């Protein structure tokens, strides 16, 4: 049985180098979902992060009195949660400096988290 180039290739076996057969699933290449929701009201910023891998939800609530303080709080939360999706409320979208912090700060070794979805806040 040799593959004639039409349709699907036959599963590998010892005659053609070994490897996965038809019934073996490919390795999972999707990263576990880590969703960070952000809500801002006045000087308070609230975060909730769901980590699919550990099935945990982490909450953080902080006060920010200045831009530097906001950067520190956001940086600490991003470093701790390392989200790959950020959900923001309309208030966060309207707060350009906070939105910039959330979308441009590095979040660890995996790069930057820039995916956003508009919320109801």
């Amino acid at each position: 049985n040799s593959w004639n180039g039409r349709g699907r290739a036959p599963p590998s076996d010892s005659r053609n180098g070994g490897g996965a057969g038809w019934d073996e699933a490919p390795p999972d290449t999707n990263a576990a979902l880590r969703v960070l929701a952000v809500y801002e009201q006045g000087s308070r910023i609230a975060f909730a992060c769901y980590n699919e891998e550990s099935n945990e939800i982490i909450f953080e609530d902080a006060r920010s009195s200045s831009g530097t303080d906001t950067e520190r709080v956001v940086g600490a939360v991003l470093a701790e949660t390392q989200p790959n999706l950020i959900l923001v409320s309309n208030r966060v979208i309207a707060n350009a400096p906070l939105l910039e912090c959330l979308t441009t700060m590095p979040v660890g070794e995996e790069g930057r988290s820039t995916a956003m979805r508009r919320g109801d806040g």
Side-chain angles (χ1 to χ4, degrees):
N1 282 336
S2 66
W3 180 53
N4 61 13
R6 294 188 301 266
R8 293 176 27 187
S12 297
D13 60 24
S14 61
R15 292 174 299 196
N16 60 10
W22 292 111
D23 296 329
E24 294 182 35
D28 184 12
T29 57
N30 294 326
L33 190 61
R34 291 180 311 275
V35 181
L36 180 67
V38 182
Y39 182 79
E40 177 258 343
Q41 184 172 11
S43 64
R44 295 185 73 98
I45 306 171
F47 304 89
C49 183
Y50 170 68
N51 184 327
E52 181 180 44
E53 189 171 79
S54 63
N55 199 27
E56 290 183 313
I57 298 176
I58 298 170
F59 295 98
E60 179 68 37
D61 184 27
R63 288 194 182 274
S64 173
S65 58
S66 68
T68 304
D69 204 23
T70 299
E71 287 180 12
R72 181 189 55 76
V73 168
V74 169
V77 169
L78 290 177
E80 175 69 25
T81 61
Q82 296 189 2
N84 51 20
L85 177 65
I86 299 176
L87 307 175
V88 296
S89 68
N90 289 336
R91 288 182 188 209
V92 173
I93 291 171
N95 184 336
L98 177 57
L99 186 61
E100 184 175 346
C101 268
L102 287 166
T103 59
T104 60
M105 280 190 153
V107 293
E109 297 174 301
E110 296 179 11
R112 299 177 185 269
S113 182
T114 57
M116 295 182 306
R117 184 172 174 175
R118 194 173 187 126
D120 289 327

